[in-house]
């Protein structure tokens, strides 16, 4: 059985590898959309790495995303709702949807919830 410390080291390596590739491919200074999955909730942020600021944040903790009395909000349905809410907040904050963003998936593989989130963003007009 794998030790918890070894698994944490592997995850840290994956995150560093993904971020290094993002930095390599993002020489023009585009904003970054970060997607995170925890045990019960999903989180998304729009970050400006040049200025070092968080432009927007959105999660399934927001009342606009939650429906019903569920304990866990981490399935594909809620990732799509989170993407729609994020696009609404981006429009309210006057951020251009077609400005070009870099999608940061962290250590997660690009399938399931992550893919659903990214596809919904693209459908709503965000260029990633």
């Amino acid at each position: 059985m794998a030790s918890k410390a070894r698994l944490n080291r592997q995850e840290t390596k994956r995150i560093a590898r993904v971020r290094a590739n993002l930095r390599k491919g993002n020489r023009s200074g585009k904003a970054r959309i970060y997607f995170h999955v925890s045990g019960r909730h999903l989180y998304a942020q729009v970050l400006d790495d040049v200025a070092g600021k968080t432009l927007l944040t959105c999660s399934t903790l927001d009342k606009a995303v939650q429906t019903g009395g569920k304990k866990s909000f981490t399935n594909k349905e809620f990732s799509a709702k989170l993407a729609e809410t994020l696009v609404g907040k981006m429009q309210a904050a006057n951020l251009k949807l077609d400005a070009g963003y870099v999608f940061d998936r962290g250590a997660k593989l690009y399938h399931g919830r992550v893919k659903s989130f990214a596809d919904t963003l693209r459908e709503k007009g965000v260029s990633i």
Side-chain angles (χ1 to χ4, degrees):
M1 187 164 160
S3 70
K4 184 69 174 165
R6 191 182 100 218
L7 292 175
N8 285 340
R9 282 193 306 270
Q10 288 174 338
E11 183 179 20
T12 304
K13 279 183 176 180
R14 271 194 310 276
I15 292 171
R17 184 173 57 240
V18 169
R19 294 257 166 83
N21 288 331
L22 287 176
R23 273 189 236 106
K24 229 186 295 184
N26 188 15
R27 301 228 184 256
S28 61
K30 295 178 183 176
R32 175 169 51 113
I33 296 177
Y34 175 64
F35 183 69
H36 175 71
V37 178
S38 74
R40 284 190 175 179
H41 292 283
L42 305 171
Y43 303 90
Q45 294 179 333
V46 180
L47 305 162
D48 183 8
D49 290 328
V50 175
K53 302 237 180 209
T54 302
L55 304 176
L56 285 174
T57 175
C58 186
S59 72
T60 53
L61 292 167
D62 298 342
K63 296 297 181 195
V65 181
Q66 291 184 2
T67 54
K70 293 188 172 190
K71 289 184 180 180
S72 178
F73 298 95
T74 61
N75 60 14
K76 288 188 217 177
E77 172 191 343
F78 284 105
S79 67
K81 284 183 184 179
L82 181 67
E84 291 172 3
T85 306
L86 183 66
V87 169
K89 284 187 173 187
M90 289 171 73
Q91 289 172 339
N94 293 327
L95 292 177
K96 294 182 181 178
L97 298 180
D98 59 349
Y101 295 90
V102 177
F103 184 63
D104 184 1
R105 59 184 171 82
K108 299 294 183 191
L109 294 175
Y110 187 82
H111 72 90
R113 296 170 288 202
V114 178
K115 186 175 187 299
S116 172
F117 180 78
D119 288 343
T120 306
L121 282 178
R122 287 188 190 103
E123 287 172 10
K124 297 295 179 183
V126 178
S127 63
I128 53 174

